[in-house]
Amino acid sequence: SCLCGSAPCLLCGCCPPAKNSTSRLIFTFFLFLGTLVSIIMIIPGVEKELHKLPGFCEGSGSVLGVQTHVDCRSFLGLKAVYRMGFAMAAFFLLFAILMVCVRSSKDPRAAVQNGFWFFKFLVLVGITVGAFYIPDGAFTSVWFYFGVVGSFLFILIQLLLLIDFAHSWSQLWLRNAGESNAKGWYAALCTVTFIFYAMSIAAIVLLYIYYTKPEGCTEGKVLISINVILCLIVSAVSILPKIQETQPHSGLLQVSLITLYTIYITWAALANVPIQACNPTLLVRNSTSSATTTQPLTTWWDAPSIVGLIIFILCTLFISIRSSDHPEVNKLMLTEESGAGAGSEAAERGEHRAYDNEQDGVSYNYTFFHLCLLLAALYIMMTLTNWYRLDENLQVLSSPWTAVWVKICSSWAGLLLYLWTLVAPLVLPDRDFS
């Protein structure tokens, strides 16, 4: 009965609404549930049975007004994941619109945010069922570009969260070292930084070995080299004396983690290069390799997708369970550092008020939270399908250059963003960056 939240239960009366922190976790659970269903649908044994769904695979469709005849059973996994991604994105977009300008729990819409879970689940199920009846045609091609844009933005959010995590990690160990006057904390900090840089160097060497050739594969060589140079520049800038004066908390631990993440993004980008000679992990599935044939299907899973799924889970949980220790990150993520409104004032007076009491102001921006989950849904949709798309004739499922450039540009944007946070106090000395 508590699934109904603040709504009257049909059998058991009313249940109190969930706390705001709990509601975030339940919405995240909905996202993970949709992700689990998507994963199940791309398992080869399940994928080949999807053609039995009524209306899901009719073998023909209309693309931009031109009638086509394609054996869509070859691409059932991609079709299913795209429709699950559409359903989750539509669900979170609906709540993002409903929660616009909600300032406190006194707003009637706050009860919808923190309760009515049973009915929310029914809405999600209804949207999902409806998504599977979307007719074939231009949907998959158009939705691919929505997924690309959303994934680009979520990669930047991931980088922001990693930077915040590294800052918190570094400050915690430095604080422990200062309080206990123990050199072990400094040694641990240096060891972790060394491990991150060693992993990055090893990954760079492997990328040159497996994704480039002595002759050819110029694109891969250039992309790897550019990102290595950018990482070296950011590392050098972070330890300059003038940067340390204005940004005393900046250090190599943060940069080493950012470098490792940048190399991962580079790896994921190279895994989408549509040249077989330069990409040993390239997968191609055409309309002749039907999902109903006896030959085994090429699995959707590869190493970059598995790593991306793990990072997605960690970052989504990070968004859902905590606010940052840094005011600037809280401003970007539209959350409060230690409670909402009068709750902080009460804490200053020595009164203990529940952090989840949002009578005077919400502790996080409801709309922005749902938009983050929307972007996460699009990111996991692209990750589970390896960023692959159907060609113009709907005959071959292959990796486009679009995926490569989106990932590479997101890594560049992230590095430049972090570099700007380091040099901004020097460039704009009149502004307060404390």
Side-chain angles (χ1 to χ4, degrees):
S1 62
C2 287
L3 287 175
C4 299
S6 59
C9 185
L10 295 178
L11 299 177
C12 306
C14 298
C15 285
K19 298 177 181 179
N20 74 72
S21 54
T22 306
S23 66
R24 282 192 283 181
L25 285 175
I26 298 178
F27 276 115
T28 305
F29 169 76
F30 284 167
L31 176 62
F32 288 166
L33 181 62
T35 302
L36 178 61
V37 173
S38 298
I39 293 174
I40 293 174
M41 287 183 174
I42 59 177
I43 297 175
V46 176
E47 181 183 2
K48 69 179 182 179
E49 300 295 330
L50 291 177
H51 72 281
K52 297 180 181 179
L53 293 177
F56 183 55
C57 179
E58 299 175 355
S60 64
S62 175
V63 181
L64 301 178
V66 179
Q67 194 69 18
T68 61
H69 298 279
V70 180
D71 184 7
C72 67
R73 292 176 296 180
S74 305
F75 316 115
L76 291 175
L78 181 138
K79 286 163 58 69
V81 173
Y82 270 42
R83 279 156 176 76
M84 278 301 307
F86 175 82
M88 291 189 292
F91 176 76
F92 293 120
L93 178 62
L94 172 64
F95 280 93
I97 295 174
L98 288 177
M99 298 300 145
V100 171
C101 296
V102 174
R103 304 301 183 188
S104 72
S105 60
K106 297 177 182 178
D107 192 310
R109 291 174 295 169
V112 179
Q113 168 75 10
N114 299 318
F116 297 91
W117 297 108
F118 178 74
F119 299 106
K120 290 176 184 175
F121 181 74
L122 291 182
V123 170
L124 179 59
V125 172
I127 296 176
T128 302
V129 173
F132 275 81
Y133 283 93
I134 297 176
D136 292 330
F139 169 77
T140 302
S141 301
V142 174
W143 193 241
F144 170 83
Y145 290 102
F146 279 90
V148 165
V149 175
S151 299
F152 174 83
L153 296 176
F154 190 73
I155 289 175
L156 294 182
I157 292 177
Q158 285 182 338
L159 182 64
L160 173 66
L161 297 178
L162 284 175
I163 293 173
D164 177 51
F165 173 75
H167 273 297
S168 301
W169 188 357
S170 176
Q171 289 187 18
L172 175 63
W173 282 14
L174 290 176
R175 187 186 312 119
N176 291 339
E179 293 175 353
S180 60
N181 197 22
K183 296 182 179 180
W185 290 106
Y186 293 107
L189 197 64
C190 295
T191 301
V192 172
T193 302
F194 173 79
I195 291 175
F196 284 161
Y197 272 120
M199 293 174 62
S200 300
I201 294 173
I204 292 169
V205 173
L206 292 176
L207 290 181
Y208 276 115
I209 293 175
Y210 288 102
Y211 289 92
T212 64
K213 301 293 182 182
E215 297 181 0
C217 302
T218 305
E219 298 87 351
K221 296 176 184 177
V222 172
L223 295 179
I224 297 173
S225 301
I226 290 176
N227 277 1
V228 169
I229 293 173
L230 289 177
C231 290
L232 290 175
I233 292 175
V234 173
S235 299
V237 170
S238 67
I239 58 176
L240 291 176
K242 291 186 177 181
I243 298 296
Q244 289 294 314
E245 292 177 4
T246 57
Q247 299 280 359
H249 297 298
S250 67
L252 289 179
L253 176 63
Q254 296 92 316
V255 185
S256 65
L257 185 57
I258 294 169
T259 299
L260 186 60
Y261 181 73
T262 301
I263 299 304
Y264 158 71
I265 294 295
T266 307
W267 175 34
L270 295 177
N272 279 113
V273 172
I275 303 174
Q276 188 73 57
C278 303
N279 183 6
T281 60
L282 183 66
L283 306 176
V284 177
R285 182 186 296 189
N286 56 42
S287 59
T288 60
S289 59
S290 173
T292 58
T293 59
T294 56
Q295 69 181 36
L297 281 175
T298 303
T299 178
W300 288 103
W301 293 103
D302 60 3
S305 298
I306 295 174
V307 176
L309 179 62
I310 295 173
I311 296 176
F312 154 79
I313 293 174
L314 295 177
C315 289
T316 307
L317 287 175
F318 191 95
I319 293 172
S320 303
I321 65 177
R322 70 181 291 266
S323 298
S324 172
D325 295 329
H326 299 83
E328 293 301 323
V329 175
N330 283 319
K331 290 178 182 178
L332 289 173
M333 301 300 293
L334 300 183
T335 57
E336 294 293 337
E337 186 173 356
S338 59
S344 301
E345 298 176 2
E348 294 177 358
R349 295 193 302 267
E351 302 174 9
H352 297 283
R353 297 186 57 179
Y355 172 74
D356 290 289
N357 184 350
E358 297 182 314
Q359 290 292 325
D360 300 293
V362 295
S363 59
Y364 66 99
N365 186 290
Y366 292 165
T367 295
F368 184 79
F369 171 71
H370 289 296
L371 290 178
C372 286
L373 294 188
L374 186 156
L375 298 178
L378 295 176
Y379 172 81
I380 199 60
M381 178 188 76
M382 301 302 293
T383 300
L384 293 179
T385 57
N386 296 94
W387 294 64
Y388 284 20
R389 61 169 297 185
L390 290 168
D391 66 349
E392 295 179 356
N393 298 321
L394 301 182
Q395 296 290 333
V396 177
L397 186 66
S398 59
S399 178
W401 277 105
T402 305
V404 178
W405 289 111
V406 167
K407 293 180 181 180
I408 288 296
C409 290
S410 66
S411 68
W412 293 344
L415 287 173
L416 293 177
L417 176 63
Y418 182 70
L419 183 62
W420 171 249
T421 63
L422 296 177
V423 302
L426 296 177
V427 178
L428 303 172
D430 296 333
R431 292 189 57 180
D432 182 15
F433 290 94
S434 61

